[in-house]
Amino acid sequence: MSTSRTDTTTITVEPDMPAVRLQRDFDAPPALVFRAWADPGLVVRWLGPRDLEMEVERWDCRTGGAYRYVHRRGDDEFWFHGSFHEAREGERIVQTFTWEGAPDSVALETRPSPTSATAARGWRASRSRRRTPTATR
């Protein structure tokens, strides 16, 4: 396992699994962190990379909802889409993530609820991304 840490973010990669885990502590209550992910007007302000413009085609952050957006740089466009499998306000989001440039590779992302260790000072957002293997041709 490989782990790196910044002041607020830990990134862990398991060598035997197609998975990456990002963990970040936010000095904010769970409701605000959830809103930053659920409100498309806020998502476009922070979902990077920063040198790309983001436009949301749809963003329905609720259990059973879906999203689609594009990142643009000049004439280049990078489209992404997915489904929200579970969205519990202030607690948990489970969603799929697909870059349309590699449609056979889907990631499953989870953002679990705050832990008791972080609840007093804010929220720990833990984002796990597990990719399905891309078929070889």
Side-chain angles (χ1 to χ4, degrees), residues 9 26 30 35-36 44 46 83 88 93 98 101 115:
T9 304
F26 291 91
R35 183 173 168 240
V44 298
W46 64 264
S83 299
R88 287 186 279 160
I93 297 173
T98 301
T115 64

Side-chain angles (χ1 to χ4, degrees), residues 22-43:
L22 292 88
Q23 183 172 300
R24 183 168 183 181
D25 292 336
F26 291 91
D27 186 18
L32 289 180
V33 178
F34 183 90
R35 183 173 168 240
W37 194 261
D39 181 336
L42 296 176
V43 172

Side-chain angles (χ1 to χ4, degrees), residues 74-125:
D75 292 333
D76 295 326
E77 291 189 343
F78 309 95
W79 284 90
F80 303 88
H81 71 269
S83 299
F84 292 103
H85 293 263
E86 183 178 2
R88 287 186 279 160
E89 189 166 347
E91 291 184 34
R92 179 178 168 93
I93 297 173
V94 178
Q95 71 182 76
T96 59
F97 174 88
T98 301
W99 171 46
E100 294 179 9
D104 293 335
S105 182
V106 177
L108 180 65
E109 299 182 346
T110 60
R111 287 159 195 79
S113 59
T115 64
S116 58
T118 61
R121 68 176 189 277
W123 198 47
R124 170 169 287 160

